[in-house]
Amino acid sequence: MDMTNLTGSIVALVTPFNEDGSIDFEGLERLVDFHLENGTDGILVLGTTGESSTMTDEEDLAVARCVIERVAGRVPVIGGAGSNATFESERKAAGLVKLGIDGLLLITPYYNKSNEEGIYRHFTAVLDKVDVPCILYNIPGRTGCSISEKNLARLAAHPNAWGLKEASGSIEYATMAAQYLSDDFRMFSGNDDIVVPLMSLGAKGVISVWADVAPATVHKMCADFLSGDIAAARATQLENLELIHSLFCEVNPIPVKCALAEMGLIGEYYRQPLWTISDVGRARVVAALRGAGLLG
């Protein structure tokens, strides 16, 4: 599906598991249907929220195939192809493109981090080899490194660099990045608590964990902003801060999977080293879901 005009709420989809650790494909299809019914504008699979770092290559492709087939062209499907080894990122990207993925998410090389030129070449190695739009992912809190202004300027000019997922949490960084936005290179917030501030700088929406549990709300907030109803978008952002913060009260995706299980959409199972949420965390998540009208 053409991603050219994609704006709004892109859900960073969880990967549901069964109690034995296998992928719950029925649950995955149920989540896709939930998002299609509630206005989600795009679906990202195999990101951090999808626990892809603990999945095999075969599982990655099986999840992507399941979502692509269930979506059936109704919204764009983006696949995470990140790795700290450049050749692995190239290989993952090629496999997803072969499946028919609409776009790719490419993360900075975590742990080994690299130097400036190495990070630039890490991205361009994939960008040069694919023919789908790619979103660059800046999340220094997870990776230990950031896309510098110099590299962002260079990468934004690449024809396959379609956008930036900005998840540093820094308004200063987002303001810098806004200088390089155009019709060919757009920004999405990677932080649910500052979507409206980043949209005021030119972001076209959010790649969202919050949308896992409240897809209609996140879609409407973005649509309101893009249609000019800034006051309504701001009100939605502020009214949902406790829910958003509760979904990050422990490391993502532990709280959001807890929330989805409480809502009856999936089983509450993780891949180690992730583990079940604490009693304090669960109480906070449940209270926030009730406060947002998502639980009875």
Side-chain angles (χ1 to χ4, degrees), residues 122-171:
H122 174 78
F123 283 116
T124 56
V126 179
L127 294 172
D128 287 345
K129 289 187 172 75
V130 299
D131 58 358
V132 298
C134 296
I135 302 172
L136 315 177
Y137 188 7
N138 187 61
I139 183 166
R142 285 267 188 180
T143 65
C145 63
S146 182
I147 304 173
S148 68
E149 180 172 2
K150 177 183 175 182
N151 275 339
L152 187 62
R154 297 165 79 190
L155 291 164
H158 194 290
N160 288 331
W162 181 83
L164 172 71
K165 178 182 178 182
E166 173 18 39
S168 71
S170 167
I171 297 296

mmCIF file of all heavy atoms in Angstrom, residues 122-171:
data_model
loop_
_atom_site.group_PDB
_atom_site.id
_atom_site.type_symbol
_atom_site.label_atom_id
_atom_site.label_comp_id
_atom_site.label_asym_id
_atom_site.label_seq_id
_atom_site.Cartn_x
_atom_site.Cartn_y
_atom_site.Cartn_z
ATOM 1 N N HIS A 122 25.501 2.765 8.258
ATOM 2 C CA HIS A 122 24.581 1.737 8.753
ATOM 3 C C HIS A 122 23.194 1.926 8.123
ATOM 4 O O HIS A 122 22.572 0.974 7.650
ATOM 5 C CB HIS A 122 24.491 1.819 10.276
ATOM 6 C CG HIS A 122 23.488 0.913 10.910
ATOM 7 N ND1 HIS A 122 23.712 -0.431 11.111
ATOM 8 C CD2 HIS A 122 22.242 1.173 11.398
ATOM 9 C CE1 HIS A 122 22.649 -0.968 11.695
ATOM 10 N NE2 HIS A 122 21.750 -0.019 11.889
ATOM 11 N N PHE A 123 22.712 3.157 8.139
ATOM 12 C CA PHE A 123 21.406 3.438 7.540
ATOM 13 C C PHE A 123 21.438 3.336 6.016
ATOM 14 O O PHE A 123 20.545 2.738 5.402
ATOM 15 C CB PHE A 123 20.924 4.828 7.960
ATOM 16 C CG PHE A 123 20.389 4.903 9.354
ATOM 17 C CD1 PHE A 123 21.015 5.687 10.318
ATOM 18 C CD2 PHE A 123 19.258 4.198 9.728
ATOM 19 C CE1 PHE A 123 20.525 5.770 11.614
ATOM 20 C CE2 PHE A 123 18.749 4.269 11.024
ATOM 21 C CZ PHE A 123 19.388 5.056 11.968
ATOM 22 N N THR A 124 22.431 3.932 5.397
ATOM 23 C CA THR A 124 22.442 3.959 3.936
ATOM 24 C C THR A 124 22.636 2.575 3.341
ATOM 25 O O THR A 124 22.193 2.315 2.208
ATOM 26 C CB THR A 124 23.517 4.922 3.397
ATOM 27 O OG1 THR A 124 24.796 4.563 3.923
ATOM 28 C CG2 THR A 124 23.185 6.357 3.741
ATOM 29 N N ALA A 125 23.262 1.662 4.071
ATOM 30 C CA ALA A 125 23.411 0.297 3.568
ATOM 31 C C ALA A 125 22.050 -0.321 3.271
ATOM 32 O O ALA A 125 21.877 -1.029 2.272
ATOM 33 C CB ALA A 125 24.171 -0.565 4.584
ATOM 34 N N VAL A 126 21.076 -0.054 4.136
ATOM 35 C CA VAL A 126 19.719 -0.561 3.908
ATOM 36 C C VAL A 126 18.975 0.324 2.909
ATOM 37 O O VAL A 126 18.330 -0.172 1.975
ATOM 38 C CB VAL A 126 18.933 -0.653 5.228
ATOM 39 C CG1 VAL A 126 17.515 -1.167 4.976
ATOM 40 C CG2 VAL A 126 19.650 -1.559 6.219
ATOM 41 N N LEU A 127 19.057 1.623 3.096
ATOM 42 C CA LEU A 127 18.335 2.551 2.221
ATOM 43 C C LEU A 127 18.697 2.340 0.751
ATOM 44 O O LEU A 127 17.839 2.469 -0.140
ATOM 45 C CB LEU A 127 18.628 4.000 2.623
ATOM 46 C CG LEU A 127 18.121 4.449 3.997
ATOM 47 C CD1 LEU A 127 18.666 5.840 4.323
ATOM 48 C CD2 LEU A 127 16.603 4.449 4.046
ATOM 49 N N ASP A 128 19.958 2.013 0.498
ATOM 50 C CA ASP A 128 20.411 1.826 -0.883
ATOM 51 C C ASP A 128 19.885 0.541 -1.517
ATOM 52 O O ASP A 128 19.886 0.405 -2.739
ATOM 53 C CB ASP A 128 21.943 1.798 -0.949
ATOM 54 C CG ASP A 128 22.572 3.165 -0.739
ATOM 55 O OD1 ASP A 128 21.847 4.177 -0.823
ATOM 56 O OD2 ASP A 128 23.791 3.213 -0.479
ATOM 57 N N LYS A 129 19.441 -0.410 -0.676
ATOM 58 C CA LYS A 129 19.114 -1.744 -1.192
ATOM 59 C C LYS A 129 17.630 -2.052 -1.250
ATOM 60 O O LYS A 129 17.249 -3.123 -1.726
ATOM 61 C CB LYS A 129 19.824 -2.803 -0.350
ATOM 62 C CG LYS A 129 21.342 -2.849 -0.556
ATOM 63 C CD LYS A 129 21.940 -4.030 0.191
ATOM 64 C CE LYS A 129 23.416 -4.211 -0.163
ATOM 65 N NZ LYS A 129 24.278 -3.215 0.473
ATOM 66 N N VAL A 130 16.789 -1.168 -0.724
ATOM 67 C CA VAL A 130 15.353 -1.454 -0.711
ATOM 68 C C VAL A 130 14.600 -0.464 -1.596
ATOM 69 O O VAL A 130 15.137 0.580 -1.980
ATOM 70 C CB VAL A 130 14.785 -1.404 0.727
ATOM 71 C CG1 VAL A 130 15.450 -2.451 1.597
ATOM 72 C CG2 VAL A 130 14.941 -0.012 1.339
ATOM 73 N N ASP A 131 13.358 -0.817 -1.870
ATOM 74 C CA ASP A 131 12.536 0.061 -2.709
ATOM 75 C C ASP A 131 11.222 0.404 -2.016
ATOM 76 O O ASP A 131 10.194 0.583 -2.658
ATOM 77 C CB ASP A 131 12.276 -0.582 -4.073
ATOM 78 C CG ASP A 131 11.597 -1.940 -3.962
ATOM 79 O OD1 ASP A 131 11.355 -2.400 -2.814
ATOM 80 O OD2 ASP A 131 11.305 -2.551 -5.003
ATOM 81 N N VAL A 132 11.273 0.467 -0.662
ATOM 82 C CA VAL A 132 10.101 0.876 0.108
ATOM 83 C C VAL A 132 10.496 2.043 1.007
ATOM 84 O O VAL A 132 11.677 2.219 1.315
ATOM 85 C CB VAL A 132 9.541 -0.284 0.965
ATOM 86 C CG1 VAL A 132 9.086 -1.446 0.095
ATOM 87 C CG2 VAL A 132 10.564 -0.742 2.001
ATOM 88 N N PRO A 133 9.533 2.853 1.453
ATOM 89 C CA PRO A 133 9.842 3.969 2.348
ATOM 90 C C PRO A 133 10.391 3.469 3.682
ATOM 91 O O PRO A 133 9.902 2.473 4.224
ATOM 92 C CB PRO A 133 8.494 4.668 2.534
ATOM 93 C CG PRO A 133 7.639 4.201 1.400
ATOM 94 C CD PRO A 133 8.103 2.825 1.078
ATOM 95 N N CYS A 134 11.384 4.163 4.206
ATOM 96 C CA CYS A 134 12.016 3.780 5.463
ATOM 97 C C CYS A 134 11.922 4.914 6.476
ATOM 98 O O CYS A 134 12.134 6.078 6.131
ATOM 99 C CB CYS A 134 13.477 3.424 5.243
ATOM 100 S SG CYS A 134 13.745 1.977 4.185
ATOM 101 N N ILE A 135 11.624 4.540 7.716
ATOM 102 C CA ILE A 135 11.576 5.489 8.829
ATOM 103 C C ILE A 135 12.812 5.268 9.688
ATOM 104 O O ILE A 135 13.070 4.151 10.149
ATOM 105 C CB ILE A 135 10.303 5.293 9.668
ATOM 106 C CG1 ILE A 135 9.051 5.452 8.796
ATOM 107 C CG2 ILE A 135 10.269 6.284 10.837
ATOM 108 C CD1 ILE A 135 7.757 5.077 9.514
ATOM 109 N N LEU A 136 13.577 6.314 9.906
ATOM 110 C CA LEU A 136 14.740 6.253 10.776
ATOM 111 C C LEU A 136 14.267 6.408 12.219
ATOM 112 O O LEU A 136 13.396 7.229 12.506
ATOM 113 C CB LEU A 136 15.730 7.369 10.433
ATOM 114 C CG LEU A 136 16.027 7.580 8.948
ATOM 115 C CD1 LEU A 136 16.976 8.758 8.755
ATOM 116 C CD2 LEU A 136 16.590 6.316 8.318
ATOM 117 N N TYR A 137 14.853 5.643 13.123
ATOM 118 C CA TYR A 137 14.353 5.585 14.502
ATOM 119 C C TYR A 137 15.423 6.112 15.445
ATOM 120 O O TYR A 137 16.470 5.506 15.612
ATOM 121 C CB TYR A 137 13.997 4.134 14.818
ATOM 122 C CG TYR A 137 13.295 3.877 16.126
ATOM 123 C CD1 TYR A 137 12.852 4.904 16.959
ATOM 124 C CD2 TYR A 137 13.046 2.566 16.525
ATOM 125 C CE1 TYR A 137 12.194 4.641 18.146
ATOM 126 C CE2 TYR A 137 12.397 2.282 17.712
ATOM 127 C CZ TYR A 137 11.973 3.317 18.515
ATOM 128 O OH TYR A 137 11.329 3.036 19.694
ATOM 129 N N ASN A 138 15.124 7.255 16.067
ATOM 130 C CA ASN A 138 16.039 7.886 17.021
ATOM 131 C C ASN A 138 15.523 7.672 18.434
ATOM 132 O O ASN A 138 14.532 8.278 18.843
ATOM 133 C CB ASN A 138 16.154 9.389 16.731
ATOM 134 C CG ASN A 138 17.215 10.046 17.589
ATOM 135 O OD1 ASN A 138 18.383 9.686 17.517
ATOM 136 N ND2 ASN A 138 16.817 11.010 18.411
ATOM 137 N N ILE A 139 16.174 6.783 19.183
ATOM 138 C CA ILE A 139 15.760 6.503 20.555
ATOM 139 C C ILE A 139 16.999 6.238 21.410
ATOM 140 O O ILE A 139 17.312 5.106 21.776
ATOM 141 C CB ILE A 139 14.740 5.331 20.612
ATOM 142 C CG1 ILE A 139 14.270 5.101 22.047
ATOM 143 C CG2 ILE A 139 15.291 4.074 19.933
ATOM 144 C CD1 ILE A 139 13.048 4.225 22.194
ATOM 145 N N PRO A 140 17.740 7.291 21.730
ATOM 146 C CA PRO A 140 19.011 7.129 22.439
ATOM 147 C C PRO A 140 18.884 6.473 23.802
ATOM 148 O O PRO A 140 19.832 5.840 24.278
ATOM 149 C CB PRO A 140 19.536 8.562 22.554
ATOM 150 C CG PRO A 140 18.343 9.441 22.345
ATOM 151 C CD PRO A 140 17.462 8.704 21.405
ATOM 152 N N GLY A 141 17.724 6.568 24.442
ATOM 153 C CA GLY A 141 17.543 5.926 25.735
ATOM 154 C C GLY A 141 17.632 4.415 25.654
ATOM 155 O O GLY A 141 17.998 3.747 26.625
ATOM 156 N N ARG A 142 17.286 3.852 24.505
ATOM 157 C CA ARG A 142 17.372 2.407 24.288
ATOM 158 C C ARG A 142 18.702 2.001 23.658
ATOM 159 O O ARG A 142 19.211 0.920 23.935
ATOM 160 C CB ARG A 142 16.245 1.949 23.356
ATOM 161 C CG ARG A 142 14.877 1.882 23.998
ATOM 162 C CD ARG A 142 14.585 0.498 24.542
ATOM 163 N NE ARG A 142 13.209 0.390 24.991
ATOM 164 C CZ ARG A 142 12.693 -0.718 25.520
ATOM 165 N NH1 ARG A 142 13.430 -1.796 25.677
ATOM 166 N NH2 ARG A 142 11.441 -0.737 25.915
ATOM 167 N N THR A 143 19.229 2.834 22.791
ATOM 168 C CA THR A 143 20.371 2.419 21.969
ATOM 169 C C THR A 143 21.712 2.953 22.441
ATOM 170 O O THR A 143 22.755 2.427 22.073
ATOM 171 C CB THR A 143 20.179 2.864 20.511
ATOM 172 O OG1 THR A 143 20.184 4.305 20.454
ATOM 173 C CG2 THR A 143 18.877 2.336 19.933
ATOM 174 N N GLY A 144 21.685 4.033 23.225
ATOM 175 C CA GLY A 144 22.931 4.633 23.665
ATOM 176 C C GLY A 144 23.565 5.563 22.653
ATOM 177 O O GLY A 144 24.674 6.061 22.863
ATOM 178 N N CYS A 145 22.896 5.810 21.540
ATOM 179 C CA CYS A 145 23.414 6.754 20.550
ATOM 180 C C CYS A 145 22.248 7.431 19.844
ATOM 181 O O CYS A 145 21.123 6.959 19.895
ATOM 182 C CB CYS A 145 24.331 6.066 19.535
ATOM 183 S SG CYS A 145 23.519 4.810 18.518
ATOM 184 N N SER A 146 22.559 8.539 19.195
ATOM 185 C CA SER A 146 21.533 9.346 18.556
ATOM 186 C C SER A 146 21.926 9.629 17.107
ATOM 187 O O SER A 146 23.096 9.493 16.733
ATOM 188 C CB SER A 146 21.372 10.667 19.323
ATOM 189 O OG SER A 146 20.354 11.460 18.771
ATOM 190 N N ILE A 147 20.939 9.994 16.319
ATOM 191 C CA ILE A 147 21.221 10.458 14.952
ATOM 192 C C ILE A 147 21.587 11.938 15.058
ATOM 193 O O ILE A 147 20.752 12.763 15.425
ATOM 194 C CB ILE A 147 20.009 10.276 14.027
ATOM 195 C CG1 ILE A 147 19.553 8.817 14.019
ATOM 196 C CG2 ILE A 147 20.352 10.734 12.604
ATOM 197 C CD1 ILE A 147 18.258 8.576 13.257
ATOM 198 N N SER A 148 22.819 12.270 14.757
ATOM 199 C CA SER A 148 23.278 13.652 14.882
ATOM 200 C C SER A 148 22.603 14.541 13.848
ATOM 201 O O SER A 148 22.044 14.060 12.849
ATOM 202 C CB SER A 148 24.789 13.718 14.687
ATOM 203 O OG SER A 148 25.120 13.417 13.346
ATOM 204 N N GLU A 149 22.681 15.843 14.063
ATOM 205 C CA GLU A 149 22.112 16.774 13.085
ATOM 206 C C GLU A 149 22.782 16.607 11.725
ATOM 207 O O GLU A 149 22.118 16.627 10.686
ATOM 208 C CB GLU A 149 22.249 18.208 13.565
ATOM 209 C CG GLU A 149 21.670 19.217 12.566
ATOM 210 C CD GLU A 149 21.628 20.624 13.085
ATOM 211 O OE1 GLU A 149 22.081 20.873 14.221
ATOM 212 O OE2 GLU A 149 21.128 21.509 12.340
ATOM 213 N N LYS A 150 24.100 16.461 11.719
ATOM 214 C CA LYS A 150 24.813 16.271 10.460
ATOM 215 C C LYS A 150 24.308 15.040 9.722
ATOM 216 O O LYS A 150 24.024 15.095 8.509
ATOM 217 C CB LYS A 150 26.312 16.140 10.719
ATOM 218 C CG LYS A 150 27.141 15.864 9.478
ATOM 219 C CD LYS A 150 28.607 15.675 9.825
ATOM 220 C CE LYS A 150 29.428 15.274 8.582
ATOM 221 N NZ LYS A 150 30.852 15.050 8.937
ATOM 222 N N ASN A 151 24.165 13.930 10.422
ATOM 223 C CA ASN A 151 23.688 12.713 9.779
ATOM 224 C C ASN A 151 22.226 12.814 9.378
ATOM 225 O O ASN A 151 21.819 12.297 8.334
ATOM 226 C CB ASN A 151 23.903 11.505 10.691
ATOM 227 C CG ASN A 151 25.287 10.916 10.554
ATOM 228 O OD1 ASN A 151 25.973 11.121 9.548
ATOM 229 N ND2 ASN A 151 25.718 10.167 11.557
ATOM 230 N N LEU A 152 21.413 13.474 10.214
ATOM 231 C CA LEU A 152 20.006 13.628 9.865
ATOM 232 C C LEU A 152 19.861 14.420 8.570
ATOM 233 O O LEU A 152 19.065 14.063 7.689
ATOM 234 C CB LEU A 152 19.246 14.320 10.990
ATOM 235 C CG LEU A 152 17.726 14.385 10.798
ATOM 236 C CD1 LEU A 152 17.119 12.995 10.744
ATOM 237 C CD2 LEU A 152 17.085 15.196 11.923
ATOM 238 N N ALA A 153 20.631 15.477 8.430
ATOM 239 C CA ALA A 153 20.585 16.276 7.206
ATOM 240 C C ALA A 153 20.978 15.451 5.997
ATOM 241 O O ALA A 153 20.351 15.544 4.926
ATOM 242 C CB ALA A 153 21.507 17.484 7.345
ATOM 243 N N ARG A 154 21.996 14.631 6.137
ATOM 244 C CA ARG A 154 22.443 13.785 5.020
ATOM 245 C C ARG A 154 21.403 12.705 4.689
ATOM 246 O O ARG A 154 21.083 12.476 3.516
ATOM 247 C CB ARG A 154 23.779 13.107 5.366
ATOM 248 C CG ARG A 154 24.934 14.062 5.584
ATOM 249 C CD ARG A 154 26.103 13.362 6.276
ATOM 250 N NE ARG A 154 26.887 12.554 5.354
ATOM 251 C CZ ARG A 154 27.835 11.710 5.737
ATOM 252 N NH1 ARG A 154 28.094 11.546 7.042
ATOM 253 N NH2 ARG A 154 28.518 11.022 4.849
ATOM 254 N N LEU A 155 20.892 12.063 5.722
ATOM 255 C CA LEU A 155 19.968 10.953 5.512
ATOM 256 C C LEU A 155 18.613 11.424 4.993
ATOM 257 O O LEU A 155 17.971 10.735 4.189
ATOM 258 C CB LEU A 155 19.788 10.178 6.816
ATOM 259 C CG LEU A 155 21.013 9.388 7.276
ATOM 260 C CD1 LEU A 155 20.871 8.981 8.736
ATOM 261 C CD2 LEU A 155 21.235 8.169 6.392
ATOM 262 N N ALA A 156 18.155 12.599 5.439
ATOM 263 C CA ALA A 156 16.855 13.115 4.997
ATOM 264 C C ALA A 156 16.817 13.325 3.493
ATOM 265 O O ALA A 156 15.732 13.305 2.887
ATOM 266 C CB ALA A 156 16.535 14.419 5.720
ATOM 267 N N ALA A 157 17.969 13.509 2.892
ATOM 268 C CA ALA A 157 18.034 13.726 1.442
ATOM 269 C C ALA A 157 17.990 12.430 0.652
ATOM 270 O O ALA A 157 17.847 12.460 -0.581
ATOM 271 C CB ALA A 157 19.318 14.491 1.097
ATOM 272 N N HIS A 158 18.095 11.287 1.323
ATOM 273 C CA HIS A 158 18.089 10.016 0.602
ATOM 274 C C HIS A 158 16.675 9.718 0.103
ATOM 275 O O HIS A 158 15.703 9.857 0.852
ATOM 276 C CB HIS A 158 18.564 8.890 1.521
ATOM 277 C CG HIS A 158 18.918 7.622 0.800
ATOM 278 N ND1 HIS A 158 17.976 6.816 0.207
ATOM 279 C CD2 HIS A 158 20.126 7.037 0.557
ATOM 280 C CE1 HIS A 158 18.578 5.774 -0.350
ATOM 281 N NE2 HIS A 158 19.887 5.889 -0.153
ATOM 282 N N PRO A 159 16.507 9.283 -1.136
ATOM 283 C CA PRO A 159 15.159 9.076 -1.678
ATOM 284 C C PRO A 159 14.335 8.010 -0.956
ATOM 285 O O PRO A 159 13.108 8.046 -1.013
ATOM 286 C CB PRO A 159 15.421 8.673 -3.135
ATOM 287 C CG PRO A 159 16.855 8.262 -3.197
ATOM 288 C CD PRO A 159 17.548 9.074 -2.154
ATOM 289 N N ASN A 160 14.983 7.067 -0.287
ATOM 290 C CA ASN A 160 14.232 6.039 0.437
ATOM 291 C C ASN A 160 14.051 6.348 1.919
ATOM 292 O O ASN A 160 13.403 5.579 2.628
ATOM 293 C CB ASN A 160 14.907 4.672 0.268
ATOM 294 C CG ASN A 160 14.720 4.112 -1.121
ATOM 295 O OD1 ASN A 160 13.730 4.404 -1.784
ATOM 296 N ND2 ASN A 160 15.670 3.315 -1.581
ATOM 297 N N ALA A 161 14.621 7.463 2.394
ATOM 298 C CA ALA A 161 14.407 7.895 3.783
ATOM 299 C C ALA A 161 13.111 8.694 3.816
ATOM 300 O O ALA A 161 13.067 9.855 3.434
ATOM 301 C CB ALA A 161 15.578 8.722 4.282
ATOM 302 N N TRP A 162 12.047 8.056 4.273
ATOM 303 C CA TRP A 162 10.700 8.627 4.208
ATOM 304 C C TRP A 162 10.366 9.444 5.447
ATOM 305 O O TRP A 162 9.522 10.336 5.402
ATOM 306 C CB TRP A 162 9.706 7.484 4.035
ATOM 307 C CG TRP A 162 8.275 7.874 3.928
ATOM 308 C CD1 TRP A 162 7.607 8.300 2.811
ATOM 309 C CD2 TRP A 162 7.307 7.848 4.985
ATOM 310 N NE1 TRP A 162 6.285 8.543 3.110
ATOM 311 C CE2 TRP A 162 6.078 8.275 4.435
ATOM 312 C CE3 TRP A 162 7.358 7.514 6.346
ATOM 313 C CZ2 TRP A 162 4.917 8.360 5.191
ATOM 314 C CZ3 TRP A 162 6.205 7.606 7.098
ATOM 315 C CH2 TRP A 162 4.996 8.026 6.516
ATOM 316 N N GLY A 163 11.022 9.115 6.589
ATOM 317 C CA GLY A 163 10.660 9.845 7.786
ATOM 318 C C GLY A 163 11.531 9.501 8.970
ATOM 319 O O GLY A 163 12.478 8.714 8.879
ATOM 320 N N LEU A 164 11.191 10.119 10.104
ATOM 321 C CA LEU A 164 11.919 9.969 11.364
ATOM 322 C C LEU A 164 10.926 9.657 12.472
ATOM 323 O O LEU A 164 9.926 10.356 12.636
ATOM 324 C CB LEU A 164 12.653 11.271 11.698
ATOM 325 C CG LEU A 164 13.314 11.366 13.071
ATOM 326 C CD1 LEU A 164 14.543 10.459 13.142
ATOM 327 C CD2 LEU A 164 13.702 12.817 13.383
ATOM 328 N N LYS A 165 11.200 8.594 13.230
ATOM 329 C CA LYS A 165 10.492 8.364 14.492
ATOM 330 C C LYS A 165 11.364 8.958 15.578
ATOM 331 O O LYS A 165 12.439 8.448 15.886
ATOM 332 C CB LYS A 165 10.254 6.881 14.744
ATOM 333 C CG LYS A 165 9.550 6.626 16.083
ATOM 334 C CD LYS A 165 9.360 5.142 16.371
ATOM 335 C CE LYS A 165 8.695 4.955 17.741
ATOM 336 N NZ LYS A 165 8.539 3.511 18.095
ATOM 337 N N GLU A 166 10.929 10.056 16.153
ATOM 338 C CA GLU A 166 11.724 10.804 17.122
ATOM 339 C C GLU A 166 11.256 10.449 18.529
ATOM 340 O O GLU A 166 10.178 10.826 18.967
ATOM 341 C CB GLU A 166 11.579 12.289 16.832
ATOM 342 C CG GLU A 166 12.165 13.292 17.770
ATOM 343 C CD GLU A 166 13.230 12.842 18.762
ATOM 344 O OE1 GLU A 166 14.105 12.018 18.428
ATOM 345 O OE2 GLU A 166 13.163 13.319 19.891
ATOM 346 N N ALA A 167 12.104 9.674 19.229
ATOM 347 C CA ALA A 167 11.730 9.172 20.544
ATOM 348 C C ALA A 167 12.779 9.507 21.594
ATOM 349 O O ALA A 167 12.938 8.768 22.568
ATOM 350 C CB ALA A 167 11.489 7.666 20.488
ATOM 351 N N SER A 168 13.482 10.606 21.411
ATOM 352 C CA SER A 168 14.450 11.013 22.430
ATOM 353 C C SER A 168 13.763 11.651 23.625
ATOM 354 O O SER A 168 14.317 11.715 24.721
ATOM 355 C CB SER A 168 15.460 12.004 21.846
ATOM 356 O OG SER A 168 14.841 13.261 21.594
ATOM 357 N N GLY A 169 12.550 12.159 23.432
ATOM 358 C CA GLY A 169 11.850 12.901 24.473
ATOM 359 C C GLY A 169 12.309 14.339 24.603
ATOM 360 O O GLY A 169 11.839 15.066 25.470
ATOM 361 N N SER A 170 13.201 14.760 23.703
ATOM 362 C CA SER A 170 13.776 16.106 23.766
ATOM 363 C C SER A 170 13.093 17.031 22.761
ATOM 364 O O SER A 170 13.188 16.809 21.550
ATOM 365 C CB SER A 170 15.275 16.040 23.466
ATOM 366 O OG SER A 170 15.804 17.315 23.227
ATOM 367 N N ILE A 171 12.443 18.056 23.258
ATOM 368 C CA ILE A 171 11.856 19.057 22.363
ATOM 369 C C ILE A 171 12.959 19.774 21.588
ATOM 370 O O ILE A 171 12.783 20.152 20.428
ATOM 371 C CB ILE A 171 11.002 20.061 23.162
ATOM 372 C CG1 ILE A 171 9.815 19.340 23.832
ATOM 373 C CG2 ILE A 171 10.493 21.175 22.251
ATOM 374 C CD1 ILE A 171 8.817 18.722 22.875
#
